[in-house]
Each structure stands twice: as structure tokens, then as C-alpha cells.
Amino acid sequence: MAKPAITLKTIADQLGYSVSTVSRVLNGLADKYRISKETQEAIKDAAQRLDFTPNPLARGLRMNKSNTIGLVIPDISNPFFSSIARNVEHEARKHHYSIILCDTDENTALEIESLQLLQNRKVDGLIMLPVGQTSQHIEKVYQTGMPMVIIDRYFKDVDIPYVASDNYKGAFEAVSYLIQSGHTTIGCIQGLRHTMPNSERLRGYIEAHQYYNLPVNERLIVGDGFGEQNGFLETKLLIRKEKELTAIFALSNLISLGSIRALKEEGLRIPDDISIISFDDQPYSEYLSTPMSTISQQNKEMGQIAVKHLISQIDSTIRPSGEYVLLSTKLIKRSSVKILSASKNIIKQINRGVVSMQ
Amino acid sequence: MAKPAITLKTIADQLGYSVSTVSRVLNGLADKYRISKETQEAIKDAAQRLDFTPNPLARGLRMNKSNTIGLVIPDISNPFFSSIARNVEHEARKHHYSIILCDTDENTALEIESLQLLQNRKVDGLIMLPVGQTSQHIEKVYQTGMPMVIIDRYFKDVDIPYVASDNYKGAFEAVSYLIQSGHTTIGCIQGLRHTMPNSERLRGYIEAHQYYNLPVNERLIVGDGFGEQNGFLETKLLIRKEKELTAIFALSNLISLGSIRALKEEGLRIPDDISIISFDDQPYSEYLSTPMSTISQQNKEMGQIAVKHLISQIDSTIRPSGEYVLLSTKLIKRSSVKILSASKNIIKQINRGVVSMQ
DNA sequence: TCTTTTTGAACAAAGGTTTGCATAGAATTA
DNA sequence: TAATTCTATGCAAACCTTTGTTCAAAAAGA
């Protein structure tokens, strides 16, 4: 059933040349080794005819290169991640790399295991979407010389190239929009604390308040996880405890889904009773019970840029330093934010220059 | 920077044994080759101390096995597929296989390319979620002896093991529910025609009509694609042309999203003006403008079963025949289907046995 | 003491590539 | 004609494992 594989030797024997000559022709080194035109033709023909493809295992063994990229992702079933994965795969394929997929289930232990696995498998590089709370295990791998780029949850003070959204600006814009719409008591439901995207979004939240001379109420900043459950729980608690609350800033798409569920259970309407704005735009965002205003990220570009950067890293001998790209976000206004009448005052104040522009 | 890799030779040299002895000990063949206890201990210790892991490329080359499974998927950013992918990855990892991911972009040409690629890469087996319109290229690969299992879009008269939902029953149940709710003019927006899931769902649609002695109106069966755009367009056309229409059966999650958009644009409310029920339950289904009634599939199980089956295929020498599993679906009733008053008649008729039970 | 068996391990080939070096014959130069 | 330079290719090692076979030394048997 299993036919004998077509190898260089098959061609060499059939044509009466040596394996090395065949290899050279097929690798475009014919001229360098001045192999005659006729020989070249004959070999190329035979290769085509026999449908020869080099054995990647043998080649990898010899060249110490597998043409393979490890993609480590916290949860491929989260649409934010899967759309990145999709573009990573397409871009990698363009450059003749294949993707080995590891889903870490938002679990650092599994992430460590995956890193180990991929190193053993001799991938040429790693695209990491880390869980994000600790980075030592990742740094350790990077320091062995493994080319790497991090997407989304990068780390402070860790000099590994990354590409992410400008989470600070995105959050600043979202919260500014809320404030300009007249909201002054805005709940912030965080994702995983001590991850950079979260910290930066939080900073955006805080600085937007300061920019508009609004006090920051610590009690409004809650939660610790990007998942739906966290959004649900924290929303329930918030609306019970904070009677003044008029708006929620959800730091991920899943969190906002949880919020919606909680608000519905409590019989609160969006945006009439509570306004909501969320990070991450999703295909379904506009179809939700109330079409959701969101901060959309360029995840297609993230994947592409990451792959391009990784490959240039693989092909180069010098280690990059301080290389990163921050992609801009976009505020998508739909109907989940209510314009409160009070907003007019604030807008007026801005126009009059009462609220300082820093 | 790149440290010399730890190989069998490293250990052999350090201990003064030969490479073959080291290999045997580390592969548990020590007793078979009666290698002394002390030698075994020494070698195992050294391996541990040096953190040795066998080079998978060399091993793969020698053994003709890569411990790698190719996963071919039409669109990883579609949540239906990505949740399957996730479970495939987890299950494969349990069995020490890694996943090489290929996203075919719902494009048969890319699917052919992917198959080629994965064969070249010497994967040990293939889990296919085919585009589904043609199968020759897949059969050809299967006939080379490549272990394979198909998920979701399997083929009629093609003897490759598959796991899928019982699409017929699911559709039958969905449409029955609509009919029992009093709907008699039900649009059916199809996915990709001539794919099995589509044909089976369509059959369910038709037979449910027959079961309730309702005529099947060909004009109500429209569309050709699992995407959002198809749902949008066909819904627009349907509501213009079919004034009697009271319900839509959408054959995929994306189609239903498109339908929602179209209905909204036309100012029609769900379910007051038009009821809708959709194949594929999604995490966001219950958060939609009108929480959607759906037919949910067991996609977690699909992934697991597929991997288990594939691995048993890899480990066995005999070719499977006629092996497949059909997973049951579940009707999830939310609020996108309106109970029409007329329904009482039908239900009464059923109770009275006027509508035959086949 | 000499032969046979057992023990414990080494040798070498194979799997398919790539690549530095060597070489036989032809062409050129002196 | 002898020495030199090209031309067109082959040889063999290396990458790291696995595995069938061989073999020396020790132990056992006669």
C-alpha cells in the first residue's frame, strides 16, 4: 500500500547522476557548481515527472530548521484569538512556514508545557499570545536564542518584540466618549490583572477621568479575568453596591457578554438604565440585544505583522531590541451608550476651555 | 548563543557507552537487550541531568513517524470550527500528538494545497473539516494509506470514517418546532449545496413538512453558502417575494446573523414579524437582539472522538470501513420563535392522530 | 583444562538532505 | 609538449535516531 517514497536517490539512480548533483540542481545551486544545462534540464524534468518533494524531516535534521512556527494561544475558541490565529496561519503559509498550534487554556502551567514541547519540536520561531501574568518561563526560552514575537499580552520591562493594540489610547477614547455622553460614575470591569493590556486599559480609564477632572473611585474598578463569568459576577455586584452607576466599561468582549447577562437578569435595560462599552469588536457585536459600542482592534494586522517580524528575526543573526508595534484602535459607536442630558455641560466646558487639555 | 544540543551521543560520550546502548535504555528496551541495572541507572540519571529530549526530526526520519496530526479547517475564525479545533488540540496533546493547522478559507484550491503540504510534512494522520463540495482530492490522499477522519462535512458514498451531527434529525426537530408553533410558510436558507450537512438538514426540513402534511414550496428553499452574506441577501429576497413568510430556518450560525441584519434593515422584528431558528448554538446566541432558538451540536465531543478514532487508525494496520458516528443535536428554545395562534389546531390534530405519525 | 553458553555492550547501516572538498578529463596557455 | 586552469561532477561526512547483528569477556559445563 505504501509506495516507496521518491527521494533524491530515486532521481539520481534513474538518471545516473549522484545525489549531490540532483540536490544542487533542485536547490538552484546549479550555476554555482557549474552543472551543465542539459543535466539541469534532465534532473528538473525527472523531479517534476516523479513529483518529487524533499523530505522535510531529513532537510530539517540536516539544516537545523523545520520551517515551522509554534503558535501559542490562550483559547482558540475565543473569537478575538481565533481571528488572529487565522491571519497568522495565512501569513505564515505565504512564507512557506507551517503552524503548530498549542492552546494553553488560559493556564500558565500548560503554557510552560507548550513552550517545552515546541522547543523540543525544533520550531524555528514562536508566536506567543501569553496568558500574561508571569513572563520568566517565556524569557528563558527567548534567551536560548529562540526567535519570538508576542501578540497582545506583552510584558513591561521584558525586551521581547511584540505587537499589540494601543490599549491606553483605546481605553482613553472609550471612557472619554462615556464622559462626554454625560456619564460620571463608570464601572470598570477588568480582565486579568497585571497583564499589560489590562493595565494600559485601566490607565486609559483613569487618565480619562483626570483629563475631565473627574474623581476616580476605586470601588468602581473591579474584576480579574477576561472571561464571561467575571463580567457576569462583577456586574451583579456593581449594580447592587453602586447606586449611582450609569455606565460600564468592559475590558473584553467576553466580559461584556457577562455584563449583558447580569443586566438582563436584574431587569436593567441597555442603554436606558446602564450604558456599556466594550473592548474588542466582534462580528456579532452589532447583533446583540443592544448593538454594542466597542473599541475595535486590528487583529488581522496583528497576525500579519507578527509573522513578518518573526521571519525577519529567524533570517537574521542579530537580536532585536526594543522592537514593538502598537496598533491604533477604533471607537465604534452603536447604541449601547446613552447620551445623558448632563453631558451638554461637560461638552460646553470643554469648548470653553474650562476643562484643561493637559 | 546556540548551545550544542544534547543528543544521545552527548550522554554516550560522557558515560563511555555507545549511542545504541543509551538509545535502548531510554526507550525501555534495556531488559530485552539485557543491559545491566547499573548501566541503566547511570544513563537515566545522565539523561535527566542533561535534560535530554530526543530530536523529533531524527526520530521521525528514522521511524517514518512524526507524531503530528494535520488539522484542515475551512475557517478557524468561525466559532463553530474554532471550538472543534480547540478540542482536537487538547485531545491530541493528551496522546502526544501535535497539531499542524491549515486554514483553507472555505476554498477548495487551498484545501488541495493544504493536503499536499501536510502529506509532504509526513503527518501521521489528518483530521479534515472539508469545504465539502468535492471529495476526489481527499479520497486520493486517503487511498495512499493516510489515516484520516472527517468532521462535519462528510461525503455520501465515500468510505472515509467521519463524525458529524445527526443533521437530519436536528433539522427535523427544528422545523417541527416551527410547525407546531403554527408556522406553515417557512423559508429555508441553505448553506453550501451538495454538502452532506446541508443536504441532510434540507431533508429534515422537507420531511418535517411531509410529516405534518404541509406542502413543500420550492421557492422557499434558497441560498448557497454558510456565510453571513448569503443569509443577508437571501433573507432580503425572501421577505420581498414571499409575503406569507412567517419563519426562517437558517442552516448555520453565520446565516442567521445575516438574516438578523436583513430583518433589522427592513424594519421587521423578531419574532413578532418573523420567527427564526438556526443551526449551531453559539456562546453569544442568547445575547442577540432576540435570544436565538438554535440547534446545538456537540462540537466538543466531535473533536475528541475524531482524534481518538484517528489515533486508533494510525496504530492499526487494517483499514476501517463504514465507520462513522452521528452525534445527536439538541433544540434550544429561546425567544426567536413566535407561537402563532393557529398552532393550536395543529397540535390538536396531532393529539387526535389526524396528522399521521408515518 | 577446554568447550559451550550467557552476558553486556558495541558496530554499522539506514533514513534523506546538504555541502566542503576532491578529481578526472578537457581546454587553455606557455 | 608540459604545465596550468576550467568544467562538470562525485565522494563522503554530518545531522540524530533506531535496530539487526556481531563480538569479547565472563560464566558455566564437561
Side-chain angles (χ1 to χ4, degrees), chain A residues 93-113:
Chain A
R93 183 198 293 243
K94 254 198 234 164
H95 298 270
H96 302 107
Y97 281 84
S98 293
I99 294 296
I100 297 188
L101 176 70
C102 285
D103 183 303
T104 60
D105 216 8
E106 291 276 11
N107 172 336
T108 300
L110 261 183
E111 185 172 284
I112 293 172
E113 189 189 303

Side-chain angles (χ1 to χ4, degrees), chain A residues 72-311:
Chain A
V72 181
I73 228 165
D75 177 7
I76 190 81
S77 74
N78 179 327
F80 172 68
F81 293 128
S82 65
S83 78
I84 291 177
R86 180 159 189 267
N87 289 293
V88 165
E89 198 273 345
H90 285 300
E91 188 69 23
R93 183 198 293 243
K94 254 198 234 164
H95 298 270
H96 302 107
Y97 281 84
S98 293
I99 294 296
I100 297 188
L101 176 70
C102 285
D103 183 303
T104 60
D105 216 8
E106 291 276 11
N107 172 336
T108 300
L110 261 183
E111 185 172 284
I112 293 172
E113 189 189 303
S114 298
L115 246 26
Q116 181 86 40
L117 184 96
L118 291 167
Q119 268 193 303
N120 289 348
R121 281 216 178 259
K122 311 283 181 195
V123 296
D124 296 332
L126 241 27
I127 292 189
M128 294 278 320
L129 289 93
V131 173
Q133 287 191 297
T134 76
S135 63
Q136 300 93 313
H137 57 292
I138 299 176
E139 289 177 80
K140 225 171 72 189
V141 173
Y142 186 66
Q143 262 137 35
T144 67
M146 174 71 80
M148 188 185 291
V149 8
I150 293 178
I151 299 184
D152 188 39
R153 299 194 198 158
Y154 59 103
F155 302 97
K156 205 171 181 163
D157 305 325
V158 171
D159 190 14
I160 303 178
Y162 65 83
V163 19
S165 287
D166 191 336
N167 290 293
Y168 164 72
K169 269 201 192 159
F172 188 94
E173 191 179 6
V175 176
S176 295
Y177 170 56
L178 250 19
I179 294 174
Q180 285 170 13
S181 303
H183 297 274
T184 53
T185 307
I186 302 168
C188 175
I189 305 182
Q190 300 182 80
L192 217 51
R193 294 190 192 194
H194 311 300
T195 63
M196 279 306 280
N198 191 75
S199 306
E200 287 291 281
R201 291 172 197 179
L202 185 57
R203 187 163 71 87
Y205 170 88
I206 292 171
E207 294 195 11
H209 279 73
Q210 292 167 346
Y211 181 80
Y212 290 102
N213 287 326
L214 241 39
V216 173
N217 180 347
E218 297 280 342
R219 292 212 318 280
L220 294 172
I221 301 171
V222 298
D224 186 14
F226 287 110
E228 196 263 3
Q229 195 59 21
N230 178 47
F232 177 75
L233 249 40
E234 297 298 344
T235 302
K236 282 244 169 182
L237 292 172
L238 263 184
I239 51 185
R240 294 269 164 83
K241 291 191 314 191
E242 306 298 330
K243 296 301 179 193
E244 307 288 300
L245 192 77
T246 62
I248 288 175
F249 177 34
L251 260 44
S252 86
N253 59 331
L254 260 25
I255 292 174
S256 65
L257 245 32
S259 282
I260 295 175
R261 182 156 64 96
L263 293 174
K264 182 172 290 182
E265 258 193 40
E266 298 289 326
L268 295 172
R269 291 158 306 163
I270 306 170
D272 310 81
D273 300 316
I274 297 278
S275 292
I276 183 164
I277 191 166
S278 165
F279 236 90
D280 300 340
D281 193 56
Q282 292 300 335
Y284 56 77
S285 295
E286 79 169 284
Y287 304 110
L288 294 171
S289 52
T290 304
M292 177 91 66
S293 297
T294 58
I295 298 293
S296 93
Q297 307 188 55
Q298 306 184 47
N299 24 28
K300 180 169 180 185
E301 286 70 19
M302 278 197 212
Q304 287 183 346
I305 294 172
V307 171
K308 281 185 185 157
H309 193 118
L310 184 68
I311 289 177

Side-chain angles (χ1 to χ4, degrees), chain B residues 18-19 63 114 148 156 177 184 199 205 230 255 275 305 321 342:
Chain B
S18 75
V19 170
M63 312 271 284
S114 298
M148 187 185 291
K156 205 168 180 164
Y177 171 56
T184 52
S199 306
Y205 170 88
N230 179 46
I255 291 174
S275 293
I305 294 172
S321 179

Side-chain angles (χ1 to χ4, degrees), chain A residues 8 20 23-24 27 59 62:
Chain A
L8 289 180
S20 39
S23 168
R24 281 168 178 139
N27 284 308
R59 178 178 252 171
R62 172 64 222 238

